[in-house]
Amino acid sequence: MFTLVEKLAEIFANYGARLLDRRRTGRDSDVARHLLGIVLLLQDLCLRGDRVLALAGQLGDGAADAATEAEFGQVMAEQVESVGKLRQAIGDSRMLLNTVDAGLYLELAPFLDVKSGLLTRWEQQRRTSTFSTTTLFFLPAAAVDRVAGVGKEGEALAVLSSDRADYVMILAETLRETRTGEVRDIRRVNPEQAQRLRSDIDGARAELARARELCAQVASSVEQTVGADAMANLRRSLLRGAEKARPAQ
């Protein structure tokens, strides 16, 4: 999961740089609003991801109680909901963001495709098992790069419309390979597995740190494009919208 967030942040950081490089137009503020909204969702995933890792560490060290287990499951469920919001926000922004870079959606398609994208597959894994390392970390970075590369090539050739058997097959094979070495339940690990879990948690924290840096780069690009005052207004508007969207307690 943490690798997926980092990769998405990287794509949007590159997009933000292209936004900054192009000539200003009357639509820049609209693009900036959509882009900043996506960045806020990515930052939300990072913030909750930090909590997921803290709880996973307690579970792996045998220092967790029933309340910790329950919180871990709840936070993971909230991540699924946030991923859905991210996918919707990007989908809603697709046409406008394409005014800056028509190839953006092709880069994102292997992650966001509803039927077989990487985020969908992670959500499916989450429904299968909350406490496995495959759910927690999903795929190694190299595997994500490989699968995303195949998916991007297939999407570009098929223009998002025809069969993508090669991509689906490679993704399925990669997931099977990952599951062969997974810890099925991080609440019950031996010393060797606990050490590996701690190492994986450290790696995930590094990925989240880089994702936050990339999100900050996007925000900086947006601010340079629209100006500091407009950026402040955008942030206030988006935060007000997020407050209204929250369910009543």
Side-chain angles (χ1 to χ4, degrees):
M1 181 61 202
F2 309 98
T3 300
L4 298 183
V5 172
E6 179 193 6
K7 296 301 180 184
L8 287 169
E10 183 177 356
I11 290 171
F12 280 103
N14 292 333
Y15 179 90
R18 291 192 286 272
L19 172 66
L20 180 61
D21 288 342
R22 82 178 191 138
R23 186 188 299 260
R24 287 173 182 257
T25 72
R27 305 194 74 180
D28 280 353
S29 60
D30 292 332
V31 173
R33 177 183 176 83
H34 282 258
L35 187 55
L36 188 59
I38 290 167
V39 167
L40 291 177
L41 288 170
L42 284 169
Q43 290 174 329
D44 181 59
L45 286 167
C46 289
L47 180 62
R48 196 176 297 105
D50 282 327
R51 185 57 184 162
V52 166
L53 292 174
L55 294 169
Q58 294 178 39
L59 292 168
D61 290 340
D65 55 16
T68 304
E69 292 185 18
E71 183 183 357
F72 183 85
Q74 178 61 34
V75 174
M76 291 292 281
E78 291 171 359
Q79 285 292 67
V80 172
E81 183 178 352
S82 293
V83 164
K85 291 179 181 178
L86 176 66
R87 184 187 290 115
Q88 181 178 350
I90 295 173
D92 292 346
S93 304
R94 176 183 173 186
M95 296 305 296
L96 186 58
L97 297 181
N98 278 347
T99 63
V100 174
D101 185 350
L104 174 68
Y105 195 75
L106 294 177
E107 287 191 70
L108 292 170
F111 296 87
L112 303 177
D113 184 78
V114 174
K115 292 183 179 180
S116 56
L118 286 160
L119 291 178
T120 297
R121 290 303 182 98
W122 174 76
E123 292 178 64
Q124 292 171 347
Q125 176 64 29
R126 161 61 178 76
R127 288 194 294 271
T128 301
S129 173
T130 297
F131 294 98
S132 77
T133 52
T134 305
T135 299
L136 185 58
F137 304 113
F138 196 52
L139 297 175
V144 170
D145 286 338
R146 175 174 173 246
V147 171
V150 172
K152 179 182 175 182
E153 180 183 356
E155 292 292 357
L157 293 173
V159 195
L160 304 175
S161 62
S162 66
D163 182 38
R164 297 163 55 221
D166 289 345
Y167 166 73
V168 174
M169 180 181 68
I170 289 177
L171 175 55
E173 289 178 352
T174 305
L175 280 168
R176 279 196 295 269
E177 291 171 2
T178 301
R179 290 192 188 107
T180 60
E182 75 176 356
V183 176
R184 294 189 177 183
D185 192 333
I186 62 174
R187 296 168 296 181
R188 301 173 181 85
V189 296
N190 59 42
E192 180 180 350
Q193 291 172 330
Q195 182 177 0
R196 174 184 157 200
L197 178 61
R198 284 191 289 272
S199 176
D200 288 342
I201 288 173
D202 288 342
R205 285 199 173 105
E207 289 175 326
L208 284 182
R210 183 167 185 270
R212 284 191 290 268
E213 290 176 0
L214 291 166
C215 286
Q217 289 179 26
V218 181
S220 177
S221 296
V222 170
E223 182 170 347
Q224 291 181 62
T225 300
V226 301
D229 291 342
M231 180 69 165
N233 289 333
L234 284 175
R235 284 189 178 276
R236 284 193 290 269
S237 175
L238 289 166
L239 289 173
R240 283 196 298 269
E243 288 291 335
K244 291 179 180 179
R246 288 177 184 169
Q249 299 295 322

